[in-house]
Amino acid sequence: MAAQQPTVFTPITFSKYSNRVLLKTLLDTTDGGLSFVGQKFVVGGWVKSSKEVIRDAPPAPAPADSLPPKVNKDVSCIEIIQSRIPIVRSLLKMLYGNSLHDGEKLETPVHKPPLPSTAFLAINDGSCVASLQVVVESSLHHPTHLLPTGTCILVEGVLKQVPVPGKHVVRLEVEKILHVGKVEQEKYPLSQKKLPMDFLRKFSYFRPRTTTVASVTRIRSALTFANHTFFQNNSFLYVQLPTITTTDSEGFSEKFHVTTLAGKGKRVEPTEDKEPDGLSLETVKAAITEKSNLVKELERSESNREALVTAVQDLKKTNELALQLEAREKSKSKSRKDKVIPGNFFPQETYLTVSGQLHLETYACALGNVYSCGPRFRADKIESAKHAAEMWMVEVEIAFAELKDAMNCADDLVKFLSKWVLEHCMDDMKFVQKRIDKNSIHRLESIISCSFEKVSYTTAIEILEKATNQKSPHLKKLKFGAALTDDHLSYLADTIFKKPVIVCNYPKETKPFNVRLNDDGKTVAAFDVVLPKGGVVISGSQKEERLDVLMTRMREMGLPREQYEWYLEIQRHGIVKHSGFSLAFDRFVLFTTGLTDIKDVIPFPRSFGKVSN
């Protein structure tokens, strides 16, 4: 007979700040925790499911009259008689009521102790998908306080192997109860049943206790760390950017205004005179060009002197109107610059930042490669499954880089993040694959292995034009210059190429003012990364380093120069070619998990008309 092998204990690391052991440490092992059997641990968590098993009652004690008489010296004769003879007990009760001998009760009600039972609790502490079975005897704590879903417990016990392995391989047999956080069961919104995601949004403070949201949160945390790891490994510096700013980085965004005057009386906004007949300066300038061409044509023909005189007078009046509008625009800009808001914390208009890209460029032009992570805010009044008012962005700027360099960096980042999730969150991804999206793991694997398709905006328009005429009539028809919608871009990735697509060189009208103008004068050096089933997750561009071109673009878009004067300063002094991009972090989490609404991957989402907690 072979000698029995001694038990080998696997070393375990306890938290530096608590003697509690994370369930991940016990359960995320190849043997499911069997190597820790026999050791004593302190664990804590919240009850996910429970059941109580009542044991057989202990045998009843033998009747008193079958035992030898035992005399208690402290028992009176009357008590002995009334306990032995029922009629005497009844007579005494009639004479003395319910008390006897200075208030002592004649009959004391006997409460039967509850039957002994064992509570089997499945608890989870948020460190992993798996739950640990915890066994508590009723002699340690009343089961009714432990069984409700959501109850928090901290216990000490010995890890044992489950007698009949099933869902659980090991269980903790409790020796000591250290803490119980009770639940008001009638008011607690969660249950053991699977709840719809839209229902859980009403309880953003409780929903992390669900397995789905807990898995999404762990994946989100891993992606956050992966982002920093990627950029730190590639010699980028991390820069914190302001949330409050006076600048609209894109020039056409809906912004949240920052003020301390709310609730302190009605604020009167300064009124501005409207342009005559609703005309804009750009419209008038276009009219001047047309009228000038007409005058030149009439001068060449010399056939109609009367028409020429009329055209010249008309052109003169239009030029005068343009001068008036230019003067008014300058006056407005000056008033905006000099306007002071009495009583406000900041003297000028301030906003929650839409993008930190302009500020990040200033650091790229001094430190080289930089990146930032933070919340960005858009006050777009839209209801969308891929948009929220507050979204987290990873913003990147690379000095001495052109468009192709930024596209290559974006390509590498997406593949790095996808690989990181599969290497560090496989248990959570298996849960996602089982409960949310059966193709989630395969989709990440294909991202890692495939090459991204690169097409120009012009080529994309041609492809989409054929699609709208043939296979997909539901797609809106496009002409050159139109912005590509999410539906159009997703169609390219999902249906046409069936892999990630990078669309580049967009019409200048569709992109911010500081994107570099291409040699054709019509398009700019911008790109979008579109993922299958994920849509646009990255938008980037090469920035305009030519001061004269940049100022022309600002004039074309009607942007107040005063607001961007600080940005123009970096173009005047030691500017360098630089490129960058923004990763919509929440959208990438959405893509990774296969969920359909971005509000389900943001811990506390804010969207149009909806804010809580």
Side-chain angles (χ1 to χ4, degrees), residues 253-418:
S253 306
E254 291 291 334
K255 304 176 290 296
F256 287 99
H257 288 243
V258 176
T259 179
T260 56
L261 298 178
K264 297 182 180 180
K266 186 176 180 181
R267 178 183 171 186
V268 180
E269 293 287 351
T271 58
E272 297 180 351
D273 296 333
K274 293 185 178 180
E275 295 158 346
D277 300 325
L279 294 175
S280 68
L281 181 58
E282 296 302 319
T283 303
V284 174
K285 285 183 176 180
I288 290 174
T289 303
E290 292 180 4
K291 294 178 189 299
S292 298
N293 292 334
L294 177 61
V295 168
K296 290 177 182 178
E297 185 178 339
L298 291 171
E299 285 176 341
R300 282 195 301 269
S301 64
E302 296 184 354
S303 59
N304 192 339
R305 300 296 300 175
E306 193 173 316
L308 176 61
V309 172
T310 303
V312 169
Q313 291 177 347
D314 191 21
L315 176 61
K316 183 180 178 181
K317 289 180 181 179
T318 307
N319 279 320
E320 290 175 354
L321 178 59
L323 291 173
Q324 293 176 11
L325 291 176
E326 283 182 345
R328 184 166 297 176
E329 281 295 324
K330 290 179 181 179
S331 175
K332 287 181 183 178
S333 298
K334 187 175 186 301
S335 66
R336 276 194 294 263
K337 181 180 179 181
D338 299 336
K339 181 173 64 178
V340 175
I341 307 172
N344 199 28
F345 188 88
F346 296 108
Q348 68 272 54
E349 291 283 356
T350 50
Y351 321 98
L352 295 179
T353 183
V354 172
S355 168
Q357 205 73 49
L358 299 186
H359 292 90
L360 196 62
E361 286 182 55
T362 66
Y363 273 74
C365 291
L367 303 176
N369 300 345
V370 290
Y371 76 104
S372 183
C373 306
R376 305 294 180 252
F377 306 87
R378 291 178 183 269
D380 299 319
K381 297 180 180 180
I382 58 174
E383 283 286 353
S384 171
K386 291 189 177 181
H387 175 80
E390 178 184 5
M391 295 176 63
W392 277 68
M393 306 294 288
V394 179
E395 294 173 320
V396 184
E397 202 64 34
I398 312 169
F400 306 98
E402 298 185 356
L403 184 68
K404 60 181 176 61
D405 302 308
M407 290 194 292
N408 290 337
C409 182
D411 184 322
D412 290 344
L413 175 61
V414 169
K415 290 180 178 178
F416 182 88
L417 296 180
S418 301

Side-chain angles (χ1 to χ4, degrees), residues 154-167:
L154 183 68
V155 296
E156 182 180 323
V158 178
L159 199 68
K160 299 288 184 68
Q161 184 173 355
V162 174
V164 182
K167 183 178 180 181

Side-chain angles (χ1 to χ4, degrees), residues 26-46:
L26 297 177
L27 303 178
D28 278 8
T29 56
T30 54
D31 60 3
L34 289 174
S35 55
F36 300 117
V37 166
Q39 297 189 58
K40 183 178 289 189
F41 299 107
V42 173
V43 300
W46 289 263

